[in-house]
Structures are given as structure tokens and as C-alpha cells.
Amino acid sequence: MLASVFIAVVSLALFWMAAFTLWWQMHAWRTPEVLASTRFSSPDGGEHVSFSLLLPARHEQAVLDHTIQRLLESSHADFEIIVIVGHDDPDTTAVARHAEARDPRVRVVVDTHEKKNKPKAMNTALPHCRGDVVGVFDAEDQVHPELLAHVDHAFRTTGADVVQGGVQLINFHSSWYSLRNCLEYFFWFRSRLHLHAQKGFIPLGGNTVFVRTDVLREADGWDPDCLAEDCDLGVRLSSVGKKVVVAYDSDMVTKEETPGSLMSLLKQRTRWNQGFLQVYRKKDWKQLPGFGQRLLARYTLMTPYLQAISGVIIPLNVAVALFLDVPVGIAFITFLPAVTAFVTFVFELVGLHDFGKQYGLRVRFVHYLKLVVGGPFYQVLLAGAAVRAVWREQRGRNDWELTSHVGAHLTGDDLGNDIGKGADIDPATATATGTATAPGADAATATATGTATAPGADAATEAAAVARGSREDVPA
């Protein structure tokens, strides 16, 4: 009897957790008015905010110059780019110094910490920032040239202390798990973060985030020991009442790529989960004034614990329902989480269609099939990352695990443009060490070496794609 009661309670808890999560994911799509309010408003032509754009780069020599060039193409008139390199990373430093010599808007700051990570690098650069607002980008980002003008307008018209722009993984075609990874970002930045901003508690994203410089300095920058320094900063600023505005516009998002392997994805999710647990343990969220805010914060930051427990409980519940002699009512309750899972699958299918439509990507039947079939396996991976994060946190292991990428979000045109803009890419000496795929490219067109270029790409573009190769990025 006690076992049946326990199973029923756990099943109901899992059902309600899944239902709440689904409801929050659907926040932006509840009404046309809500969806419209999540976008940037059009700039009025005025520019009154200056920007210091931080670009942490470690072992990023293959992609750094491309990102700097994209930032320099910004239509905004008042910004500087501060590239942060390690004292023990001569290759990346050479690329950064070359860009610094070409354009006075680029400056290089050297991080001399023995143990390096992203927050330490950004804290090193913070005293050098001259702009009214500090913006953060990653070294592989594709940044829209009109983004700063929209962010400037958002600061001036809303009185925000922080503006969080959209970040979107693009290469949904690269693998079965990249589909789900892209949709996670789509739902998180397109919808979920807007709900958090509305409620007054928000774990910020790792890049395309802009903070007033005086507010950032008042907060003593980023926590150098936190594995999710972005989440931590958002929680600390929310807890002292700073205003955060979130805007997602498919034309303005910063485009990135999914991790290049399952192991990279597992390590990335482990780091994020452990970072959330660190922020939960710091208890800054307890300063939030509202009970509902604190409840949302507790639930959000405890998600790794809940995922780890769910990864164990859900298979157990299914086994109990199928193989043990329990009352019919209890057996029925154990399948309630499956109801929310089914509704979530339907919502994800619709979301994938919307994602493809917004970004002009060709979503085929096989992609919908991969999304559904891969769902349970992806949840197992997420549960495994959560278990691993809890284990690492309990053992006091907080070393950074870097995420590897291959430039899969860059098109052939992006890579070819680097050659004409001074990038250190020599097509004549390029070697086939990596891949570069165009968004929407069919994986079936890839060659035996794993390279897929945009249709119609010329020889120079193709060589540049090959030259880009594999690399590791600073944790976001």
C-alpha cells in the first residue's frame, strides 16, 4: 500500500513539473500580442549609448577573425571591441593583434590568470571598458550588423539596466541531437526568458547580453568561480531589482552552432547544470522580494536535481506499471507523465515548423521523424548530464570542460568573405581538418570527409571552409 502511494505521489509530481515546464515554453505563443511584444522595436535613428563589446577567445584562431569582422560591420557609430586572450595562447593572440593593427576600434587585453575561464577573462577586461554598456559575445558568433542599433534603442526607451538579445543555434541538420538542441534554444530565448523577465527573475544567457557598465561594476563583475557566470549575474541583478529586458527577433539573433559530438554536448550540459547548482547554493535568489519569484528561482535552479531524479524515477515507474501487481488506478497515474510528454512532442513538431519558417530553413519529413524518435534518447542524455553534474558538485569538482565546435553554423559565403577582409586563411595551404555546412544543407550531400559546403560555393569559399577546421571555445 505504501509503495502504491509513493508511486502515485511521484508520478503526480512529475506530471505537474512537466506541465509547468511546457506551459512556460509556450509563453510567447499564447496570444499574437504576447508574441509581438517579445521582439525588438524599430530604432528611431538616434544613438546615445556607447558599447564595449567583450570577446573572450581561447584557442580560437580559426574563427576569431571572422567574428571580429562581423562586429566591425555594425551600423552603430560608437563601439569598441575588446578581445581577451590568454598569455599562453600565442596563436589566438596573433590573430587578435592583427585585427587590432587593422582597426583602431579593436583592442587586445591579455588575461594572465594561471587557471583560465570565461568570467576571469571578462573581469580582466572590465576595467578597460570605456562604453556606457558592456556587451558579451563568443568567438564563433555571427552578429547582425543592426543589432547594436536595436539594443541602443531598447536601453533608451525602456530604462533597462540589462538587455538580453536572442541567441540561436542554426545547424539543425547536422545530427539527430542538433535538432533538439536548436529547438531548446528556440524555446528558451524565444519564449522562456521572456517569462522570467516578466516575473522579475532571470538567469541570463551567456552572450548577446548587454549590461550598463556602472551596474556591472557595482556588482563586481562576474563570479570567477561559477561555471554558469551568466546565470549567476542574472540572478544577482534580479535580486537587487535591476530591470532586465529580453528581445528575440529572428532577424537580429546571434547565430551559433551545436556542440560537435555527444560527448561535447554532455560536458556542456554538465557544466551548465553544475553552474545552476552553484548559484542555487549561493542563495542570492533568496533576496527576491516576492514569494512567487523565489519559488520560480528555486524551481529553475534546482532543475538539475529534478532532471537527475526523473532520469531514475520515470523508467522505474514504467516498469512498476507494466510488471508489478498494483491497483489499476495507480498504474494509470504512473502514465500521466507520458501524457505531458506526448503534448510536448506535438508542440515541438509545431515549433520545428515555426523555426524553419522564421529562418528560411528547409525542414523535411525526416527531420520531424528524427525529432520524435530521438526524443527519449535526448532525455536520457540530459538526465545523464544532470546526474554527472550532481556527482561533480558533491565531490567538489569545478574544473571547466571546454566545448568543441566545427563552424557548422557558418555558410560558404561567410567563410569566403573572410578571405576578402584580411582573415588569416590561406586557401592554398588549407587542409581537410573540419567541416562547414550551410544552414539547410542536406547531410546526404556531404562528402566522405564530412564536408558540406553551400550550393554554388566557389573554390576559394570551399577552401576557406576546410581551413576553418575543428576548435574549442571558451565556455559560454
Side-chain angles (χ1 to χ4, degrees):
M1 179 61 182
L2 288 177
S4 296
V5 172
F6 174 77
I7 292 169
V9 169
V10 169
S11 298
L12 288 172
L14 292 173
F15 169 76
W16 284 111
M17 285 191 302
F20 277 124
T21 301
L22 177 60
W23 180 247
W24 292 337
Q25 281 184 324
M26 297 172 65
H27 170 75
W29 288 276
R30 290 176 192 168
T31 67
E33 292 75 22
V34 172
L35 187 63
S37 70
T38 61
R39 298 188 174 97
F40 279 109
S41 57
S42 299
D44 55 12
E47 292 183 359
H48 305 289
V49 177
S50 59
F51 292 92
S52 292
L53 307 179
L54 301 188
L55 198 59
R58 183 160 179 78
H59 305 308
E60 302 282 12
Q61 60 271 17
V63 293
L64 177 60
D65 196 82
H66 171 79
T67 301
I68 293 174
Q69 292 298 333
R70 290 283 298 203
L71 289 172
L72 288 173
E73 292 170 5
S74 173
S75 63
H76 199 275
D78 195 354
F79 68 93
E80 63 176 354
I81 301 170
I82 301 179
V83 185
I84 313 151
V85 298
H87 71 286
D88 56 351
D89 187 3
D91 293 336
T92 305
T93 300
V95 175
R97 292 295 185 190
H98 185 60
E100 182 182 42
R102 289 199 312 263
D103 196 301
R105 292 173 293 178
V106 180
R107 289 191 291 140
V108 177
V109 171
V110 179
D111 174 20
T112 58
H113 289 94
E114 286 302 318
K115 292 186 67 175
K116 290 180 169 56
N117 60 33
K118 185 177 179 180
K120 287 180 181 178
M122 293 190 295
N123 284 337
T124 299
L126 185 55
H128 300 272
C129 294
R130 302 167 181 165
D132 303 318
V133 170
V134 173
V136 178
F137 293 99
D138 290 337
E140 79 277 5
D141 285 349
Q142 273 193 295
V143 183
H144 195 280
E146 299 295 329
L147 176 63
L148 295 186
H150 283 74
V151 173
D152 185 320
H153 182 72
F155 271 111
R156 291 186 287 108
T157 57
T158 65
D161 298 298
V162 182
V163 173
Q164 171 72 69
V167 181
Q168 185 58 62
L169 305 180
I170 290 297
N171 57 309
F172 76 102
H173 52 80
S174 295
S175 63
W176 68 268
Y177 64 85
S178 64
L179 272 168
R180 295 201 149 270
N181 208 187
C182 290
L183 276 185
E184 279 185 303
Y185 269 65
F186 187 58
F187 293 142
W188 181 258
F189 284 95
R190 186 74 187 87
S191 182
R192 178 76 181 265
L193 280 184
H194 296 275
L195 179 139
H196 280 283
Q198 179 182 309
K199 300 297 183 184
F201 163 77
I202 181 169
L204 292 170
N207 72 74
T208 317
V209 61
F210 302 86
V211 186
R212 291 192 182 274
T213 307
D214 56 348
V215 170
L216 190 54
R217 287 175 174 155
E218 182 184 340
D220 295 324
W222 295 267
D223 184 340
D225 299 315
C226 184
L227 295 174
E229 85 293 333
D230 46 358
C231 170
D232 174 72
L233 180 63
V235 171
R236 286 191 286 124
L237 295 181
S238 299
S239 299
V240 296
K242 300 301 182 183
K243 183 176 181 179
V244 181
V245 171
V246 178
Y248 184 102
D249 192 316
S250 58
D251 293 331
M252 295 292 145
V253 297
T254 297
K255 296 179 181 179
E256 292 187 343
E257 63 175 316
T258 62
S261 69
L262 281 175
M263 183 55 67
S264 292
L265 179 59
L266 178 69
K267 289 181 178 180
Q268 181 191 70
R269 289 313 173 88
T270 297
R271 176 168 52 81
W272 292 356
N273 283 331
Q274 192 175 353
F276 270 52
L277 295 179
Q278 289 175 333
V279 177
Y280 176 74
R281 187 162 41 83
K282 287 176 65 176
K283 299 180 180 179
D284 290 310
W285 55 273
K286 287 193 172 182
Q287 300 176 38
L288 290 163
F291 174 76
Q293 291 174 307
R294 294 192 296 273
L295 192 63
L296 176 61
R298 185 187 290 271
Y299 177 85
T300 302
L301 298 175
M302 285 184 66
T303 297
Y305 284 128
L306 300 176
Q307 278 189 326
I309 294 171
S310 298
V312 175
I313 293 296
I314 291 178
L316 180 62
N317 269 19
V318 173
V320 166
L322 293 176
F323 302 111
L324 293 187
D325 185 17
V326 295
V328 174
I330 299 298
F332 174 78
I333 290 175
T334 61
F335 281 99
L336 280 178
V339 175
T340 53
F342 175 76
V343 176
T344 300
F345 276 146
V346 173
F347 178 63
E348 288 172 343
L349 291 171
V350 176
L352 180 57
H353 173 77
D354 191 30
F355 169 74
K357 183 178 179 181
Q358 287 199 33
Y359 289 97
L361 303 173
R362 186 177 179 183
V363 182
R364 302 174 177 175
F365 174 77
V366 67
H367 296 128
Y368 292 107
L369 184 62
K370 286 180 179 180
L371 184 70
V372 174
V373 175
F377 299 100
Y378 195 75
Q379 293 305 315
V380 169
L381 184 142
L382 295 184
V387 170
R388 188 167 178 263
V390 172
W391 179 81
R392 282 171 57 88
E393 182 67 7
Q394 294 301 318
R395 291 178 61 88
R397 291 188 55 184
N398 60 357
D399 52 298
W400 286 67
E401 295 180 316
L402 302 183
T403 305
S404 61
H405 294 80
V406 295
H409 62 308
L410 303 177
T411 67
D413 288 340
D414 295 323
L415 297 166
N417 288 340
D418 281 348
I419 297 175
K421 295 177 181 177
D424 295 329
I425 297 175
D426 183 1
T429 60
T431 58
T433 57
T435 65
T437 55
D442 187 345
T445 64
T447 67
T449 60
T451 302
T453 55
D458 59 22
T461 299
E462 223 171 303
V466 173
R468 192 160 295 277
S470 302
R471 27 81 57 192
E472 290 190 331
D473 69 341
V474 176

